[in-house]
Amino acid sequence: MKSTASLSSILSSKACLSRSALLPRPLPRSSFLAGAGAGRPDCAANRRLGLRIGTSGFTAAAAAMAASFKAEQARAPPALPVPTPPLAKFKIGLCQLSVTADKERNIAHAREKIHEAVDKGAQLVVLPEIWNSPYSNDSFPVYAEDIDGGSSPSTAMVSEAAKALKVTIVGGSIPERCGDRLYNTCCVFGSDGVLKAKHRKIHLFDIDIPGKITFMESKTLTAGESPTIVDTDVGRIGIGICYDIRFQELAMIYAARGAHLLCYPGAFNMTTGPLHWELLQRARAVDNQLYVATCSPARDAGAGYVAWGHSTLIGPFGQVLAKTEHEEAIIIAEIDYSEMEMRRTNLPLEKQRRGDLYQLVDVQRLNS
């Protein structure tokens, strides 16, 4: 009679065999290699021979993998193709602004910096989070503006500047009043000055790190209820605000909707900024193989809430293309969408997703 231990071992072995029989078989090494020596197990020898994967062999292998792993099912509904952008290359301007308690001054100052960015060649200008007001729960109700009701001097200025300068502007964010609710809201204006999209911050900044920082946006603000992606003169842009960047699902939905660029006006603080600000931007960019731009207020050490600064542009391979420090500054940097295409060809993640194992559901698109 077999011991309990050996019987358990046999049952475990059979269970493993049973499970493995149900899993997709990995493609043989030879499927990924082209030319003489394909399929050789000696990797060092292959490197010495200078063996490279041929384009046709790689394409065939990727297609076989997609069929086996059902990559198209990893996004529900299936991912949209990335549209051809209106411009292959253009310059973005990130305006890291100093913010004061004087709203009129903040509006005039933002207008001046938008003009300065365009004078330096920017065709897309991005403003910071909460640029017309101090960042505090006490200030949000006082500085809030009725955007839908047409009583919003801050967005009126951005609209006028976009039209006069013929550029697209991602207008950072301001406190918005809508009925008895307040939102943290980003407006995107086209080069004709028309409001193209409005994003209300989806994930509210409620954190408590003892001895470091405690902030509860939900004390005054209401969370937005919709992802925001917009077609502009400079490409398809997904919008998030600050804390939204921590939630990779939002960025993944934007990528699945064909975004070229993600813009996050944000004001990370002196605790999480040094640790997570650049890390999260690079993660969102490299995971989704697209551009990520962030724009922060400049740091004011005397403010109740001290922003980290460091507005940044990240490329689709996770590389830092441009970054400022904490003081007021304007970044002018080039976005080249051919970089996206090249990286997605080099590293075809979309064809390698395991739709047989997991799925991202875009609830809004699924129900539309």
Side-chain angles (χ1 to χ4, degrees):
M1 182 175 180
K2 295 184 181 291
S3 68
T4 303
S6 63
L7 180 59
S8 174
S9 175
I10 292 169
L11 290 174
S12 176
S13 174
K14 287 183 177 179
C16 289
L17 286 171
S18 176
R19 284 195 299 272
S20 66
L22 296 173
L23 294 174
R25 299 278 182 191
L27 294 172
R29 281 180 54 84
S30 59
S31 297
F32 294 92
L33 300 173
R40 288 179 57 179
D42 186 351
C43 295
N46 281 343
R47 284 196 294 272
R48 286 195 298 272
L49 288 170
L51 186 62
R52 295 292 182 266
I53 296 174
T55 303
S56 59
F58 188 87
T59 303
M65 181 181 289
S68 174
F69 292 163
K70 302 179 181 177
E72 76 287 349
Q73 294 183 19
R75 300 290 179 262
L80 298 173
V82 179
T84 301
L87 296 174
K89 293 182 183 179
F90 68 93
K91 289 184 178 178
I92 186 172
L94 307 177
C95 297
Q96 183 164 290
L97 306 176
S98 61
V99 179
T100 71
D102 184 339
K103 183 195 274 192
E104 289 187 5
R105 178 266 177 200
N106 293 336
I107 293 172
H109 188 61
R111 179 191 293 113
E112 175 188 332
K113 294 304 178 181
I114 291 170
H115 279 258
E116 186 177 331
V118 174
D119 286 344
K120 292 179 177 179
Q123 293 163 277
L124 169 65
V125 178
V126 184
L127 299 182
E129 180 184 24
I130 307 294
W131 58 266
N132 72 342
S133 160
Y135 190 93
S136 74
N137 279 315
D138 290 339
S139 297
F140 296 152
V142 177
Y143 288 76
E145 299 178 1
D146 183 356
I147 298 171
D148 292 342
S151 179
S152 175
S154 300
T155 56
M157 179 279 292
V158 178
S159 171
E160 291 163 6
K163 183 176 181 180
L165 300 170
K166 296 180 172 54
V167 294
T168 300
I169 302 179
V170 175
S173 78
I174 65 169
E176 178 198 8
R177 184 181 300 282
C178 184
D180 60 354
R181 294 184 176 184
L182 298 177
Y183 298 93
N184 186 343
T185 300
C186 174
C187 292
V188 181
F189 291 92
S191 55
D192 54 2
V194 174
L195 178 65
K196 296 185 72 69
K198 185 170 73 170
H199 178 78
R200 290 168 170 166
K201 190 173 187 176
I202 293 174
H203 305 93
L204 296 183
F205 179 57
D206 286 2
I207 70 166
D208 182 15
I209 303 176
K212 297 290 185 179
I213 182 171
T214 298
F215 201 99
M216 302 290 288
E217 274 190 333
S218 62
K219 283 185 176 181
T220 53
L221 301 179
T222 299
E225 296 183 350
S226 179
T228 305
I229 192 163
V230 54
D231 286 312
T232 74
D233 290 345
V234 293
R236 184 169 292 178
I237 303 175
I239 304 294
I241 299 175
C242 199
Y243 206 54
D244 285 339
I245 200 171
R246 288 192 178 274
F247 300 87
Q248 66 267 37
E249 295 89 348
L250 182 62
M252 292 161 68
I253 283 173
Y254 288 153
R257 293 185 184 187
H260 300 103
L261 166 68
L262 306 183
C263 285
Y264 293 95
F268 266 44
N269 56 78
M270 298 297 292
T271 299
T272 60
L275 291 170
H276 301 155
W277 180 235
E278 183 179 302
L279 171 69
L280 288 166
Q281 296 174 60
R282 296 183 68 189
R284 300 296 83 83
V286 76
D287 283 352
N288 298 290
Q289 299 178 305
L290 39 61
Y291 284 88
V292 170
T294 60
C295 191
S296 168
R299 189 180 306 169
D300 178 359
Y305 180 94
V306 183
W308 171 240
H310 294 84
S311 302
T312 308
L313 177 67
I314 306 291
F317 212 48
Q319 70 275 42
V320 178
L321 298 177
K323 180 174 68 173
T324 190
E325 296 297 324
H326 63 270
E327 68 281 350
E328 181 169 275
I330 296 175
I331 291 176
I332 304 295
E334 185 175 76
I335 286 178
D336 181 352
Y337 287 138
S338 68
E339 172 88 0
M340 279 179 61
E341 183 179 356
M342 179 183 73
R343 295 306 182 185
R344 291 182 177 195
T345 300
N346 295 160
L347 199 65
L349 301 183
E350 195 60 34
K351 296 180 176 65
Q352 297 169 338
R353 301 193 191 282
R354 293 294 300 270
D356 57 327
L357 298 180
Y358 51 75
Q359 188 177 64
L360 174 75
V361 179
D362 185 339
V363 174
Q364 191 179 57
R365 264 208 306 148
L366 196 68
N367 294 336
S368 64

